[in-house]
Amino acid sequence: MKFLFYFLVLFAIANSHLLGQSTDTIKVLSHKDVIIQTDPSKGSTSYPQWVNFPKKGINYRRVIGYLTFECPPNLNCGEWDYGNHIYIGKKGGVNGENVNWEIGRFITPYGNYWKKGNAFKHGWYYDFTDFALLLHDSVEIIYQHSGYEAKDDRGWKINLTFYCIEGTPIRTPISITNSGYTGFSYGDPNKSMDSILPEKNIKLQPETNSLRLLVTQTGHGNDKPDGCGEFCGKLRTILFDKKKINDRFIWRECGFNPLFPQAGTWLYDRANWCPGASVPADVVDVMNLKGGTEHSYDVDMEKYVSTASTGNYDFSLFLIEYSRPLSNVDASIEAIVAPSKEYEYLRQNPICGNPTIIIKNNGNENLTYVNVKYGLKGIRKASFKWKGNLKFGESDTVKLTEPFSWASNIRVFEVELVSVNNPKNDQNLSINPDSSIVDEYLKDNVMTSTFDETPVLPGKIIILLKTNNAATENYYYIRDAVSGEILFEKNNLENVTTYRDTIDLPSGKCYNFEFYDDGPPPSNFPLNKDGLSWWANTNDGAGYVRILSKDNKTIKNFQADFGTKFFYQFTTNVSLDVKDFPVEKNKFLYVFPNPSSDKFNIEYFLNDSKGGNLEVFDLVGNKVFSQTLIEDDKTIEINLSSLIKGNYILKVKPNNGTEEITKKIVIL
């Protein structure tokens, strides 16, 4: 059985047109502007709230959760990557049973990147539909925050909202069973996995036709020899009636995290989690079961023995019993990836090329064909014929390659599934638009998104690239964003070398600048997917990449701490003069190595400020070092070996009066 990550069902609550087409969408706010902080004496803090959900008997098509994080008023953001959990506290109301069932998991970002007063905000979606049976009437929702950092000056402000979308369910939910599996140590030579995760049995309800196994698993700790559980990937196998139904390598790549950059080691790949990201649950469906029968299920982990500091897995498994799917043919649009303003898809936006959507099969029959109509609101739509073979519950990310006109001030994109599993009847659309539609549930066949316009650049640009000490990791393309044709490419780069490539591009087209850091790393330090400059990999040094105008003005400076790759789409207008397009206003400052016992390399870019001044302060505000900066763009070395060990603040003040840039540095 295929597993399906829950982040593939991002409904994009901002797409209110979609939610409005369901019977009703009831917004339930469980946690409003709640300040969460650690309790170092306990390691976790709980924030319970009693919430009134729609009354029992109301059917949900979906229940979507939305969690947002911000820096608290007058406090810094929390510093470390800590596990957070969303629980249903009591089952059956105020006088009900204490269950503390986990319905969602989140790992906080390395928030030291954002300081007090920073307007940071980010959001993440959850699909809570599998717990719909419990989300009626009075429910205790507990948000739990773990960690041991000092709480005097830091924390997070959170909001947690449930969107209860009324309508015909995809399947009728019948019951929920907690397997009883909990977190466990991994690699302990004195504990076998069979004793930790023993085979169990479940007797199905008489009405049950299908069973969903919902698994949430993250690895923590750092043992020897493999760095388990956080930094090792191991195989998990699920058995049902002693037959394998799912294999999953417990691992997740973090270098393309939408929340970037962060402080800390945010881009290290980990055991199914990344800092500043929700934890996707794995979904395994077993179909066409007979009600009232008894079955066994078992979870096995790859054999492994640690030699020191045994790691662990945070683990939960729920079994949700359902009827058979209520529709034979039922496709849905799960998300508009691009164009979109959604936080989850920031890395893929804005665009001026081919839109991307996610479709899903909710019906008994395999989904084999979909006619997708799409384009800007109020403008003639393009048509894309998707073909595939999705089983129930499976989804596909679809790039819509039939071109349509972006030439409009309209910033609303529309997409509709107009024909499903019935390609022969597409010809009837012009006569009777409903005649070819065999989808049995139409309310999730339409979605809209709002989006930002892509930048407009001059036709002649310069790609300025300075490589670091790991140039083998880097390469880039400029493509026609519609056809995918490569118009320019750069590879086989040398270390610590500056490249200037002048590129002429025809006017009025859409282009994609794709830059990668996932090539083979140097043998002396085998780490890639860490951008052109990253504090934790001082061996690589620092590089940068920018887009310049023909007269060397910086149009776009790209964040060097970007992880695996970045994409930048733009259109061109060859008639643009320098004064007609926006020159990059941002400044940057990189410090490496940091911490250091003596020498620090300072790379800065001040963008036409006629130099500035570099100053270092201790934590009580005394200036302990200063140096005049004559140029706007340079890498310099400063020696702070005369200062005592500790934390300091480094400031660069541009001469043109624009906002100063600060970095915390540590002298060892």
Side-chain angles (χ1 to χ4, degrees):
M1 294 285 180
K2 265 191 176 181
F3 62 83
L4 174 65
F5 283 153
Y6 266 151
F7 66 79
L8 295 183
V9 291
L10 299 176
F11 247 105
I13 298 303
N15 300 331
S16 57
H17 294 83
L18 171 68
L19 299 180
Q21 296 212 9
S22 295
T23 306
D24 276 306
T25 298
I26 300 173
K27 178 181 175 181
V28 179
L29 180 61
S30 68
H31 291 71
K32 178 177 172 57
D33 296 337
V34 175
I35 307 302
I36 63 172
Q37 294 179 294
T38 64
D39 184 344
S41 67
K42 296 180 180 179
S44 67
T45 48
S46 293
Y47 300 86
Q49 297 286 343
W50 280 97
V51 184
N52 290 320
F53 282 86
K55 64 182 181 181
K56 188 175 181 180
I58 292 177
N59 289 324
Y60 299 139
R61 181 67 176 183
R62 292 281 180 86
V63 181
I64 304 298
Y66 188 52
L67 172 68
T68 62
F69 262 53
E70 302 173 65
C71 295
N74 302 315
L75 293 173
N76 296 321
C77 280
E79 184 172 358
W80 293 99
D81 52 334
Y82 288 133
N84 284 203
H85 305 268
I86 303 168
Y87 294 107
I88 291 177
K90 286 191 174 183
K91 177 182 176 182
V94 176
N95 298 318
E97 175 189 359
N98 284 312
V99 292
N100 291 322
W101 285 2
E102 183 188 29
I103 63 173
R105 190 176 301 175
F106 177 73
I107 309 296
T108 59
Y110 284 104
N112 205 35
Y113 193 85
W114 306 282
K115 297 299 183 182
K116 185 186 301 183
N118 192 284
F120 163 79
K121 184 176 181 179
H122 205 87
W124 300 265
Y125 287 101
Y126 291 82
D127 190 340
F128 294 134
T129 309
D130 286 313
F131 296 96
L133 278 175
L134 305 179
L135 299 177
H136 290 283
D137 301 317
S138 184
V139 181
E140 184 185 30
I141 301 296
I142 301 173
Y143 191 92
Q144 185 188 79
H145 177 51
S146 70
Y148 295 91
E149 67 186 11
K151 66 177 184 178
D152 298 337
D153 65 343
R154 68 197 66 181
W156 297 99
K157 182 175 81 171
I158 70 163
N159 283 268
L160 177 60
T161 305
F162 294 75
Y163 292 87
C164 302
I165 305 167
E166 295 184 24
T168 303
I170 295 170
R171 297 179 289 181
T172 302
I174 296 168
S175 71
I176 304 175
T177 301
N178 185 356
S179 69
Y181 292 144
T182 59
F184 56 89
S185 59
Y186 183 60
D188 187 337
N190 299 314
K191 295 181 180 179
S192 70
M193 293 311 303
D194 286 340
S195 65
I196 294 172
L197 298 172
E199 180 181 82
K200 295 193 175 188
N201 295 317
I202 182 171
K203 185 174 182 179
L204 303 179
Q205 299 297 316
E207 318 93 283
T208 297
N209 176 268
S210 58
L211 181 68
R212 170 163 288 182
L213 287 77
L214 194 67
V215 188
T216 305
Q217 181 175 359
T218 52
H220 306 273
N222 191 3
D223 72 3
K224 295 181 180 179
D226 287 0
C228 295
E230 182 172 347
F231 295 113
C232 74
K234 300 296 182 182
L235 184 67
R236 182 195 69 212
T237 299
I238 298 177
L239 306 174
F240 189 78
D241 288 341
K242 303 188 184 301
K243 295 181 180 179
K244 183 169 66 176
I245 59 171
N246 177 256
D247 273 339
R248 170 74 203 284
F249 191 64
I250 308 303
W251 197 242
R252 186 170 177 183
E253 292 191 355
C254 296
F256 201 54
N257 192 333
L259 179 51
F260 88 104
Q262 301 176 38
T265 57
W266 68 273
L267 52 73
Y268 280 149
D269 298 341
R270 288 171 163 89
N272 201 33
W273 62 273
C274 297
S278 59
V279 176
D282 295 337
V283 174
V284 183
D285 283 312
V286 185
M287 309 298 290
N288 301 316
L289 298 171
K290 184 178 180 180
T293 55
E294 188 168 322
H295 301 269
S296 66
Y297 62 94
D298 194 9
V299 178
D300 290 336
M301 286 298 302
E302 178 181 338
K303 290 183 179 180
Y304 172 72
V305 176
S306 62
T307 57
S309 305
T310 301
N312 66 89
Y313 282 110
D314 193 351
F315 188 90
S316 70
L317 188 156
F318 289 90
L319 300 97
I320 301 96
E321 296 181 49
Y322 284 104
S323 70
R324 74 189 298 273
L326 299 185
S327 299
N328 287 320
V329 179
D330 182 5
S332 62
I333 305 170
E334 296 296 292
I336 298 173
V337 176
S340 172
K341 290 184 179 182
E342 288 297 321
Y343 288 119
E344 187 69 27
Y345 304 124
L346 289 177
R347 292 273 204 158
Q348 293 100 310
N349 284 283
I351 67 165
C352 50
N354 297 324
T356 302
I357 66 171
I358 298 173
I359 62 172
K360 182 183 174 186
N361 181 24
N362 302 312
N364 277 300
E365 295 183 9
N366 286 8
L367 186 64
T368 58
Y369 173 87
V370 180
N371 184 355
V372 185
K373 295 284 188 180
Y374 58 95
L376 300 184
K377 184 176 181 179
I379 295 179
R380 185 176 179 179
K381 302 297 188 289
S383 178
F384 178 85
K385 309 296 195 300
W386 174 89
K387 295 180 181 179
N389 191 23
L390 298 180
K391 297 178 182 178
F392 171 82
E394 293 181 350
S395 64
D396 189 25
T397 300
V398 181
K399 188 165 289 289
L400 305 172
T401 57
E402 290 298 319
F404 69 99
S405 175
W406 289 90
S408 169
N409 291 325
I410 297 169
R411 295 291 171 262
V412 179
F413 176 79
E414 299 177 323
V415 59
E416 180 179 5
L417 312 183
V418 297
S419 179
V420 177
N421 278 10
N422 202 352
K424 293 182 179 179
N425 285 340
D426 273 345
Q427 59 187 341
N428 297 327
L429 282 173
S430 60
I431 303 172
N432 180 359
D434 295 326
S435 64
S436 67
I437 298 178
V438 296
D439 195 312
E440 297 170 41
Y441 193 86
L442 302 180
K443 293 179 180 178
D444 48 16
N445 285 36
V446 178
M447 186 177 282
T448 64
S449 66
T450 58
F451 61 92
D452 292 322
E453 185 179 8
T454 52
V456 180
L457 305 188
K460 179 176 285 189
I461 58 174
I462 299 169
I463 303 296
L464 179 64
L465 167 63
K466 178 189 174 184
T467 59
N468 59 17
N469 295 321
T472 54
E473 299 172 7
N474 302 131
Y475 55 98
Y476 72 79
Y477 305 104
I478 292 182
R479 298 181 189 267
D480 183 308
V482 175
S483 69
E485 178 187 1
I486 296 175
L487 306 175
F488 185 87
E489 62 182 301
K490 194 79 172 180
N491 48 39
N492 296 320
L493 303 170
E494 299 293 331
N495 290 347
V496 196
T497 303
T498 300
Y499 296 91
R500 292 174 58 93
D501 291 295
T502 301
I503 304 167
D504 283 304
L505 298 170
S507 178
K509 288 190 173 185
C510 178
Y511 302 96
N512 194 17
F513 178 40
E514 307 170 13
F515 194 95
Y516 296 86
D517 191 69
D518 61 0
S523 58
N524 63 325
F525 196 78
L527 174 70
N528 61 2
K529 303 180 183 179
D530 56 353
L532 289 170
S533 177
W534 187 43
W535 72 271
N537 184 3
T538 57
N539 290 325
D540 279 3
Y544 56 77
V545 59
R546 303 169 193 159
I547 298 179
L548 310 181
S549 66
K550 61 185 179 182
D551 60 348
N552 294 312
K553 296 290 185 181
T554 299
I555 300 173
K556 177 65 179 178
N557 175 64
F558 295 97
Q559 174 70 43
D561 183 7
F562 59 80
T564 304
K565 57 191 172 183
F566 67 77
F567 303 137
Y568 179 74
Q569 291 199 15
F570 61 94
T571 57
T572 55
N573 187 336
V574 294
S575 64
L576 282 179
D577 198 356
V578 174
K579 66 180 183 299
D580 295 321
F581 61 86
V583 174
E584 183 75 37
K585 300 298 184 185
N586 67 322
K587 308 176 289 293
F588 67 79
L589 171 67
Y590 301 131
V591 182
F592 59 96
N594 186 20
S596 172
S597 59
D598 47 23
K599 296 177 181 178
F600 293 83
N601 292 307
I602 313 295
E603 182 185 353
Y604 65 89
F605 172 66
L606 302 181
N607 202 349
D608 205 23
S609 68
K610 311 303 181 188
N613 199 49
L614 183 151
E615 299 172 336
V616 178
F617 297 84
D618 62 23
L619 294 187
V620 295
N622 298 313
K623 186 190 298 185
V624 294
F625 179 88
S626 67
Q627 179 171 324
T628 300
L629 306 176
I630 300 174
E631 301 178 62
D632 282 347
D633 184 2
K634 194 174 177 64
T635 299
I636 62 174
E637 181 183 86
I638 61 174
N639 191 328
L640 302 180
S641 59
S642 62
L643 302 180
I644 63 174
K645 298 177 181 179
N647 297 325
Y648 293 83
I649 301 298
L650 185 150
K651 296 184 180 181
V652 170
K653 298 180 178 180
N655 283 336
N656 62 1
T658 57
E659 185 178 358
E660 65 186 26
I661 321 169
T662 65
K663 292 285 185 182
K664 182 173 78 172
I665 61 173
V666 180
I667 300 177
L668 299 174

